[in-house]
Amino acid sequence: MATPIGNLADITLRALHLLQLVDAVACEDTRHTQHLLRAYGIERPGAALLAVHQHNEAEAAAAVLARLRQGERVAYASDAGTPAVSDPGARLVAAVRAAGCPVVPLPGASSVTTALSLSLIHI
């Protein structure tokens, strides 16, 4: 899901709704995503924050896939912007798609960036 670049008010209502529904949020930096969740009063003690960054992409993708196979709902949130444009989200999405699990992109403030994100991950 796309997250705000600079101004937290740029998040979409759809993204906030999704963050309240998922069992886990995969993210580049758990501290950054926790700040976003707190800013919107989203406190889900049972929901896990899973770090996915350039140093652990393979292991993190395996952990996300394990959760998906158990029926959990997992969102991926970039630190700022749209996944697959400038973060490790593309590799995670590729692994999830290769495993046959569905991937649903959530647009941010710019539909053009969402389209670019989709083209980079070959959906």
Side-chain angles (χ1 to χ4, degrees), residues 21-26 44 46-50 67 72-76:
L21 294 176
V22 296
D23 300 301
V25 179
R44 311 258 338 274
L49 290 179
L50 311 170
R67 288 174 173 273
E72 290 188 26
R73 297 167 294 188
V74 181
Y76 175 75

Side-chain angles (χ1 to χ4, degrees), residues 2-78:
T3 57
I5 299 173
N7 188 330
L8 287 179
D10 287 337
I11 195 156
T12 66
L13 292 174
R14 187 174 174 196
L16 292 174
H17 178 73
L18 181 74
L19 288 169
Q20 294 172 347
L21 294 176
V22 296
D23 300 301
V25 179
C27 49
E28 288 180 81
D29 185 332
T30 58
R31 297 166 297 181
H32 187 275
T33 301
Q34 188 62 48
H35 173 73
L36 176 71
L37 295 173
R38 283 190 186 128
Y40 285 100
I42 300 172
E43 295 188 27
R44 311 258 338 274
L49 290 179
L50 311 170
V52 179
H53 48 73
Q54 66 182 7
H55 304 292
N56 76 345
E57 288 173 297
E59 298 86 6
V64 168
L65 284 170
R67 288 174 173 273
L68 292 172
R69 288 181 178 127
Q70 292 176 355
E72 290 188 26
R73 297 167 294 188
V74 181
Y76 175 75
S78 66

Side-chain angles (χ1 to χ4, degrees), residues 2 82-85 105-123:
T82 303
V85 174
L106 264 69
S110 169
S111 61
V112 173
T113 308
T114 302
L116 174 61
S117 168
L118 288 172
S119 73
L120 294 173
I121 58 176
H122 309 290
I123 289 183

